[in-house]
Amino acid sequence: MKYLSTRGAPAHAEFCDILLGGLAPDGGLYLPETYPRITAEELARWRELPYAGLAFEILSKFITDIPSADLKSICDKTYTAEVFCHVRAGDDARDITPVHWLEPGRLALLELSNGPTLAFKDMAMQLLGNLFEYVLDKRGEQINILAATSGDTGSAAEYAMRGKHRVRVFMLSPHGKMSAFQRAQMYSLQDENICNIAVTGMFDDAQDIVKAVSNDSSFKARHRIGAVNSINWARVAAQIVYYFKGYFAATRSNDERIDFCVPSGNFGNICAGHIARRMGLPIERLILATNENDVLDEFFRTGVYRPRSAAETRVTSSPSMDISKASNFERFVFDLVGRNPKVVAELWRQVDAGQSFDLSRTPHLASLPGFGFVSGSSTHADRIATIRKVWEGYGVMVDPHTADAVKVGLERADSRPVVVLETALPAKFGETIREALGREAERPADLAGIESLPQRVIVMAPDVDAVKQLISSRLSKQP
Ligand SMILES: *Cc1c(COP(=O)(O)O)cnc(C)c1O
């Protein structure tokens, strides 16, 4: 399988070539040159497979430059009941992503948050950690991951990379701005290859430092700086697997069609659903749910994509969906405009200049219904009401992001079952749960008391040169 860029660079790269990188050289995003079509025979056979076996089959379609036996053992080592152990009472951890029915035949949760950091980002990031280690070993190279986080992505990256040889992580977070639980998750890691840096500023200050360091191409090359952000193709590819697994768990035969409802921010999760559908998985509709930051809902309702300014981006109680523009959306638009890179390049020239684009009076919008998307949005009050309703109605506690999707999923449901992707566990968002339910969020037993573990973090001013110096000195001390 070869990979092309959404902005026109031809398909020369293979999977391992793009694994460690970010954007394509022309500024576009990588996509496979075609989506593999799944036959009825394959779909029948896959229904019986355990998660790791299914991951191997699906990833084999996209990864043709790693020997099969090696890819198989990477999948087996990644998707284990020991790593994805935080399933709901009564569900089987061997399923990795169990389906939990709220109303049988009508509404279910696909549990994606059973990994070490209690959010769905573990599903892809755990695989990424093992793929990185494998490819770097083969090449005799190293990588130093530099990233900024406001919570979820950073901790998922650290838990995926901890203890991996040839990989170091420098993670910037805003000092004093994350919850006690999130701080404890990240800062309690004692692994030598994980370096937590708390900058005395906001998330944007941390993000700006990462951008400044990445723009210094000689520093970047000399120190082998890499990223693991949401546009990484391997992350999207890994997420395709659980749409298949969820479909098989929620249906009895491959003639049935279901809807998935996805709480969305950067469009990474639902992009994987879009690709699963293009591969031939019988998904009828992809229901996209946003919070108050409704740039994607607006697009699917009107055909206008209007990225927001920082000032227009709201801080909400489903913070992992607080985005001003959706970094993976370009992948979908590439397919929507008939995979014409000239059209995409022109649209993103406008986006990169801070403008919006309008497809409503173009032929492209006429093809939109064929992609199966519908959308809706949710507010803080909706979130609180939904958390309460799901708790009182079904005895199940859901996190605020999942609540956004339950709200929109119920609103948009028609005759088919709706499977809502559960993207985090309530333990991560205790304050909102207390507001909704007047009680503490459930927390997995192995994470009790995590706040009292010793923490390891360097606090520093938001200063690019100081961060560069820290990286240089750490790397020069390496064995
Ligand atoms: C990252 C995240 C999302 C948004 O996913 P995208 O792939 O960015 O659309 C939703 N919920 C939670 C809990 C997340 O961590």
Side-chain angles (χ1 to χ4, degrees):
M1 176 65 79
K2 293 270 182 18
Y3 289 85
L4 44 70
S5 161
T6 50
R7 299 200 194 166
H12 293 313
E14 292 199 75
F15 182 85
C16 293
D17 303 325
I18 64 172
L19 174 65
L20 302 168
L23 294 175
D26 59 3
L29 304 188
Y30 285 112
L31 272 180
E33 56 183 340
T34 57
Y35 296 132
R37 285 290 298 185
I38 304 310
T39 64
E41 182 275 321
E42 280 173 312
L43 207 57
R45 194 162 49 78
W46 290 3
R47 178 172 278 278
E48 310 307 324
L49 294 176
Y51 197 96
L54 183 62
F56 169 68
E57 293 286 340
I58 292 171
L59 292 170
S60 294
K61 304 270 180 194
F62 296 102
I63 308 177
T64 48
D65 56 342
I66 294 179
S68 283
D70 294 353
L71 184 58
K72 179 85 174 59
S73 66
I74 290 170
C75 292
D76 286 343
K77 156 166 143 186
T78 302
Y79 296 109
T80 68
E82 288 70 43
V83 174
F84 295 91
C85 61
H86 299 117
V87 291
R88 285 218 149 70
D91 293 332
D92 190 339
R94 285 171 303 182
D95 293 339
I96 310 298
T97 58
V99 161
H100 191 97
W101 287 99
L102 299 178
E103 280 186 36
R106 179 156 172 261
L107 181 66
L109 300 177
L110 175 59
E111 295 182 35
L112 303 179
S113 314
N114 302 327
T117 74
L118 315 186
F120 91 100
K121 298 201 167 64
D122 289 327
M123 293 303 305
M125 210 67 95
Q126 287 289 319
L127 181 78
L128 214 61
N130 288 325
L131 283 170
F132 272 30
E133 191 171 56
Y134 173 85
V135 170
L136 292 166
D137 264 344
K138 284 265 164 208
R139 296 184 174 180
E141 292 173 7
Q142 328 210 37
I143 194 168
N144 299 298
I145 294 165
L146 174 66
T149 188
S150 51
D152 282 352
T153 309
S155 58
E158 291 189 351
Y159 279 77
M161 303 298 165
R162 62 187 294 202
K164 297 273 184 277
H165 42 276
R166 301 179 180 277
V167 183
R168 272 176 179 269
V169 178
F170 295 91
M171 187 63 66
L172 307 185
S173 51
H175 183 56
K177 299 289 186 304
M178 297 189 303
S179 73
F181 181 79
Q182 286 178 315
R183 285 201 301 273
Q185 268 192 317
M186 289 177 53
Y187 302 165
S188 69
L189 289 178
Q190 301 295 330
D191 306 78
E192 267 312 305
N193 71 329
I194 304 292
C195 179
N196 280 302
I197 305 168
V199 295
T200 50
M202 305 298 286
F203 169 69
D204 287 337
D205 299 310
Q207 183 78 38
D208 287 346
I209 295 175
V210 173
K211 281 187 195 149
V213 175
S214 301
N215 286 340
D216 180 344
S217 48
S218 101
F219 183 90
K220 195 177 164 194
R222 238 178 321 127
H223 295 87
R224 297 180 211 82
I225 302 291
V228 287
N229 38 31
S230 76
I231 55 150
N232 182 291
W233 163 251
R235 285 181 61 183
V236 177
Q239 292 168 180
I240 296 169
V241 178
Y242 53 68
Y243 284 88
F244 281 82
K245 191 78 175 108
Y247 171 80
F248 293 136
T251 58
R252 291 223 177 80
S253 96
N254 296 340
D255 305 330
E256 295 172 46
R257 298 182 76 81
I258 61 171
D259 295 342
F260 282 104
C261 183
V262 188
S264 295
N266 274 318
F267 205 82
N269 196 353
I270 204 165
C271 186
H274 157 69
I275 295 171
R277 192 174 180 276
R278 301 299 272 183
M279 290 169 73
L281 186 66
I283 300 172
E284 182 69 24
R285 296 183 310 169
L286 290 161
I287 307 173
L288 181 145
T290 70
N291 62 19
E292 292 89 332
N293 296 294
D294 58 355
V295 43
L296 289 168
D297 177 38
E298 181 174 79
F299 174 79
F300 284 101
R301 280 186 294 104
T302 65
V304 176
Y305 182 59
R306 186 175 63 83
R308 314 296 199 245
S309 65
E312 270 180 297
T313 307
R314 306 261 308 270
V315 176
T316 76
S317 48
S318 44
S320 298
M321 291 154 64
D322 292 348
I323 54 103
S324 51
K325 51 176 117 170
S327 52
N328 278 290
F329 188 52
E330 183 172 340
R331 289 193 159 108
F332 173 72
V333 171
F334 182 68
D335 289 338
L336 179 65
V337 302
R339 297 201 136 211
N340 184 336
K342 287 209 183 71
V343 174
V344 173
E346 172 52 25
L347 293 175
W348 258 266
R349 193 191 55 70
Q350 297 169 33
V351 170
D352 292 340
Q355 295 161 4
S356 39
F357 63 72
D358 181 357
L359 299 185
S360 68
R361 274 175 295 275
T362 69
H364 305 305
L365 206 71
S367 58
L368 187 58
F371 289 84
F373 277 81
V374 290
S375 70
S377 70
S378 170
T379 64
H380 178 74
D382 292 330
R383 220 165 284 139
I384 295 294
T386 305
I387 292 170
R388 210 172 277 158
K389 177 166 151 181
V390 173
W391 176 246
E392 286 167 2
Y394 313 111
V396 170
M397 204 181 268
V398 292
D399 102 291
H401 305 78
T402 309
D404 286 332
V406 170
K407 184 260 180 187
V408 173
L410 285 173
E411 214 166 61
R412 292 277 178 270
D414 54 26
S415 57
R416 283 168 304 278
V418 175
V419 176
V420 170
L421 274 55
E422 179 177 50
T423 54
L425 291 189
K428 297 194 88 162
F429 303 97
E431 207 177 308
T432 306
I433 299 297
R434 269 192 298 278
E435 181 183 340
L437 304 179
R439 60 192 294 156
E440 293 302 311
E442 295 161 347
R443 184 187 289 198
D446 62 324
L447 297 175
I450 185 176
E451 289 93 339
S452 52
L453 294 176
Q455 298 191 356
R456 214 166 131 255
V457 58
I458 299 166
V459 180
M460 57 198 287
D463 172 8
V464 177
D465 288 324
V467 171
K468 281 182 177 171
Q469 207 147 40
L470 177 77
I471 295 173
S472 299
S473 81
R474 285 286 163 126
L475 295 183
S476 66
K477 280 194 218 114
Q478 236 179 320

